[in-house]
Amino acid sequence: MKIKIRRALLQYLFQLARDFYPNEFGGFLREKDGIFEEVLIIPKGYFGKESIYFDTWLLPHDKNIKGTVHSHPSPSSRPSQADKKFFSKFGGVHVIISYPFKEWSVKAYNSEGVEIEIEIID
């Protein structure tokens, strides 16, 4: 399995990760024609140094939301046990951007926590 993500979106996600650092940030990824193109930032979320919390009732009903994204302020892009639990409940694709928020520090996972390939589209 492979996901496709726009370079412009990825650059924006890097900037969000830098802006929230040393806290995590989280959002939901919107897909159009098989390519992740937009992020929805979690409304009224709590963005802490080791976790994020949000109310899923505040998300719009949008069939194009196909994944999640969050940052790790540490150099590890590996999902935590809490991440894997969330992945299994939400389904879809899950992107983790770790410090220092560069292309090589981004990983994607399926709902079981298995890493999947990322293709960056210009």
Side-chain angles (χ1 to χ4, degrees):
M1 181 177 185
K2 179 192 318 187
I3 67 161
K4 296 179 182 181
I5 188 168
R6 290 273 180 223
R7 185 175 306 279
L9 173 58
L10 195 56
Q11 295 300 321
Y12 180 63
L13 295 172
F14 293 153
Q15 188 59 52
L16 284 172
R18 287 184 206 102
D19 290 347
F20 277 81
Y21 183 85
N23 293 332
E24 294 188 8
F25 88 93
F28 289 82
L29 296 171
R30 187 179 280 150
E31 184 183 67
K32 182 177 179 188
D33 298 325
I35 301 171
F36 287 107
E37 304 251 359
E38 297 177 335
V39 63
L40 300 173
I41 302 303
I42 300 164
K44 294 187 179 182
Y46 164 78
F47 303 96
K49 292 185 182 191
E50 296 181 5
S51 61
I52 58 175
Y53 302 99
F54 57 92
D55 184 352
T56 56
W57 287 98
L58 297 175
L59 287 172
H61 179 70
D62 184 340
K63 65 181 179 169
N64 294 318
I65 295 175
K66 304 286 178 140
T68 68
V69 60
H70 75 278
S71 64
H72 281 181
S74 71
S76 174
S77 297
R78 292 182 55 189
S80 66
Q81 288 303 317
D83 290 338
K84 289 179 183 179
K85 185 175 178 181
F86 174 74
F87 293 175
S88 70
K89 289 182 179 182
F90 190 76
V93 172
H94 307 278
V95 175
I96 297 177
I97 303 171
S98 64
Y99 183 85
F101 317 122
K102 304 286 184 185
E103 282 186 22
W104 54 266
S105 67
V106 177
K107 302 287 184 197
Y109 301 91
N110 66 15
S111 59
E112 288 83 39
V114 176
E115 188 174 339
I116 55 179
E117 186 179 348
I118 299 172
E119 180 180 350
I120 301 169
I121 306 295
D122 287 317

